Amino acid sequence: MAAALVALVFGFWRPRSLHWIAVGAVLLFAALNAAAGIYVLSNFNDSRWSPGRDQPLSAPSLSETPLVGEFLVPLDAAMEGVVGGVNDFRSFQQALPIVLEFFAASGWALLVSFPLVILAAGLGFLAAQRRKADFRKFRATVDSLRDELEQIKLQLSSGSTSASAIPLRDGGPETRSQATRG
């Protein structure tokens, strides 16, 4: 949901770069799924990952044994450690399918992002080519106007009293006399 929301917000904010926004949303989805998988791995003892599963194991207490119970207290601690390790392993085993689902979703998103990146780069290249062509057109127009301005300056600086033809942008000459130029 977060990746889709980010894509919508940025899509309205920057509609010209939707291809890069799509790539970003897919990569955000992959990163969020990987982060969720890492979170589940770091908190595999949480009961959310093993609902309805077996109850944790508990070690029997040997210290309550008559006559030798006080000598078996260290064995109780060792057995609690072993049973705790088994419980951790069972919790990890129960959380592992959830982790793998998150990592699989992240992997699929990364797999989808490769063609999207290629497509976005191609669209970006085409947009750059179009901007370059537009810039060349604008540059040609500026150069043409600069040439016309130089011609007008030369005609004005010559100071001849005869009528002179000043070319217009639409191609038709306009004839002006000395009196109208002044």
Side-chain angles (χ1 to χ4, degrees), residues 68-146:
V68 290
E70 61 189 58
F71 300 109
L72 298 177
V73 171
L75 186 58
D76 274 349
M79 285 181 59
E80 285 293 328
V82 169
V83 169
V86 169
N87 284 334
D88 285 346
F89 178 73
R90 289 178 64 200
S91 296
F92 178 78
Q93 195 177 25
Q94 292 167 353
L96 192 60
I98 296 168
V99 170
L100 292 177
E101 286 179 17
F102 281 124
F103 285 157
S106 179
W108 280 109
L110 288 175
L111 188 65
V112 166
S113 71
F114 286 122
L116 280 177
V117 166
I118 292 169
L119 178 69
L123 291 174
F125 178 75
L126 291 175
Q129 292 295 88
R130 188 180 62 238
R131 283 192 304 270
K132 226 184 220 185
D134 289 344
F135 180 74
R136 277 190 235 124
K137 286 181 194 175
F138 292 137
R139 188 69 186 164
T141 303
V142 167
D143 289 342
S144 169
L145 291 173
R146 185 176 292 141

Side-chain angles (χ1 to χ4, degrees), residues 32-65:
L32 289 176
N33 275 300
I38 291 169
Y39 174 77
V40 171
L41 273 179
S42 65
N43 297 310
F44 63 85
N45 285 328
D46 196 340
S47 63
R48 291 181 286 179
W49 321 132
S50 60
R53 301 282 177 128
D54 301 330
Q55 296 298 322
L57 301 175
S58 61
S61 175
L62 298 176
S63 63
E64 297 171 2
T65 307

Side-chain angles (χ1 to χ4, degrees), residues 162-179:
S162 64
S164 63
I166 300 173
L168 290 179
R169 286 186 63 193
D170 60 3
E174 178 183 331
T175 306
R176 296 185 181 185
S177 66
Q178 181 69 17

